[in-house]
Amino acid sequence: MRAAVYHGPRNVAIENVPDPKIEDASDLIVATKVASMCGSDLYLFNGEVADMVSPGHTTLGHEICGEVVEVGSAVNRFAVGDRVTFPYSVSCGRCESCRAGQTAHCITTGKAIYGFGTAFGDLGGSQAEYVRVPFADDHLEKVPDSIVDELVPFLSCNLPAAAIAVTAAAIQPTETVAVVGCGPTGLLALELARQQTHADVFAFDPVAYRRERADALGATALDANPGAIEESVQTVLDATNGLGVHKVIEFAGRGSGFDLAVTVARPGATLSGGGVYLERDHPVSLFDMYFKNLQLRLNGFANAKTAQWQAIDLMERNAIDPTSVVTHRIALEDFPAAAVQFAEREPGFLKMLIRG
Ligand SMILES: [Zn+2]
Ligand SMILES: [Zn+2]
């Protein structure tokens, strides 16, 4: 099959690799109809976590609309032809973590994640023609007919992650909100947050194009670039009696974004962190968090499985249309170049959908 194989920082190539095979009776194989690239993939793609990937071997991608093409003998819930999606992480549904709703921490699968390198189960990714799905009955999901193919990859990661973060923020109708990081998932979270409150919603991002999107969603968009950040923070303080916002939703997934989230939070605020933090050495100020009595809720290693039902519900009720963040529709052959555009945050680039 054809797959996007990682070779080094910002270097993937479409190559012929062996087709995935059923290795266990509980496996099945899906053909990729639509895949995508997540912001979290950039840690791997950029070579920032080199110890997690294997050049010449690792394939990326954990977002998918797929069609079942082969089932193992122990698979009961799925048949060839079913249209399906998986949450980005593989969960068994039965271990102590899964039963507690911590599906991303599944003990049985060892926190396996599709296309996330050797550190997370060394599974093939969705930026390929076929993907092997282990523990299929326990975490794969059939997709209702009312949800079109292009929406389905958002069920794997972005929309559940946004829903989890907004739910954790528990926004009340008159509470002010700041969303830090307006990439695709941040914008989805912003749209959901906007539905929760009548008060001001602020949105921080360093990229002008993303701020325009946030502005169109009814937020006060603020520049997060180093040269502008002071004035942006002051705008929030001026609008909130000098206190800061009630709820902060962090989707930058970077230490600097987390620091900004702490800065704009008022005393007693909830900081709901949905970003992926892989900067192991970033210092945070316990003093700042202590002195504001912050309620810290980190959900970036999201239990996407537990919020897929919510994401499906949001789509079926037309509460949100995630294709609003899709800016590029490409073929797998065009992925290597598009991934570089995505990594460089080219103007006008938010989310790509990849047709197999
Ligand atoms: Zn993701
Ligand atoms: Zn488990």
Side-chain angles (χ1 to χ4, degrees), residues 137 227 246 326:
D137 278 347
H246 296 86
V326 175

Side-chain angles (χ1 to χ4, degrees), residues 23 41 49 64 84 157 298 314 336:
E23 296 175 15
D41 289 332
V49 287
I64 194 168
V84 294
C157 183
L298 297 186
L314 285 165

Side-chain angles (χ1 to χ4, degrees), residues 95-287:
C95 71
E96 188 172 340
S97 286
C98 284
R99 282 186 282 122
Q102 295 295 323
T103 52
H105 297 264
C106 177
I107 297 161
T108 311
T109 71
K111 308 184 188 190
I113 298 176
Y114 293 98
F116 224 72
T118 45
F120 292 93
D122 199 20
L123 294 177
S126 59
Q127 291 150 10
E129 284 184 283
Y130 299 98
V131 185
R132 180 176 72 89
V133 176
F135 296 95
D137 278 347
D138 304 299
H139 79 290
L140 197 66
E141 207 61 55
K142 279 183 205 164
V143 181
D145 291 343
S146 61
I147 297 176
V148 298
D149 287 357
E150 285 204 341
L151 284 167
V152 177
F154 288 96
L155 292 169
S156 293
C157 183
N158 291 177
L159 191 54
I164 288 169
V166 174
T167 300
I171 300 161
Q172 303 304 305
T174 58
E175 287 185 330
T176 50
V177 177
V179 175
V180 176
C182 295
T185 313
L187 287 171
L188 295 177
L190 170 59
E191 196 170 346
L192 294 176
R194 204 76 203 81
Q195 296 174 12
Q196 310 278 319
T197 183
H198 300 279
D200 288 340
V201 176
F202 304 92
F204 286 90
D205 201 281
V207 182
Y209 178 71
R210 295 177 173 198
R211 293 200 297 277
E212 285 166 24
R213 288 296 190 111
D215 186 67
L217 291 171
T220 301
L222 298 166
D223 191 345
N225 279 298
I229 196 67
E230 211 167 302
E231 192 181 331
S232 295
V233 169
Q234 194 57 47
T235 301
V236 175
L237 294 175
D238 289 347
T240 55
N241 296 325
L243 291 172
V245 297
H246 296 86
K247 302 289 162 69
V248 191
I249 297 168
E250 207 293 316
F251 265 108
R254 297 284 167 171
S256 56
F258 187 89
D259 294 341
L260 174 58
V262 172
T263 300
V264 297
R266 69 168 55 198
T270 297
L271 196 172
S272 180
V276 174
Y277 308 113
L278 297 185
E279 291 163 275
R280 280 168 272 205
D281 299 322
H282 184 80
V284 293
S285 171
L286 288 176
F287 175 81

Side-chain angles (χ1 to χ4, degrees), residues 29 265 305:
I29 306 292
K305 178 73 208 165

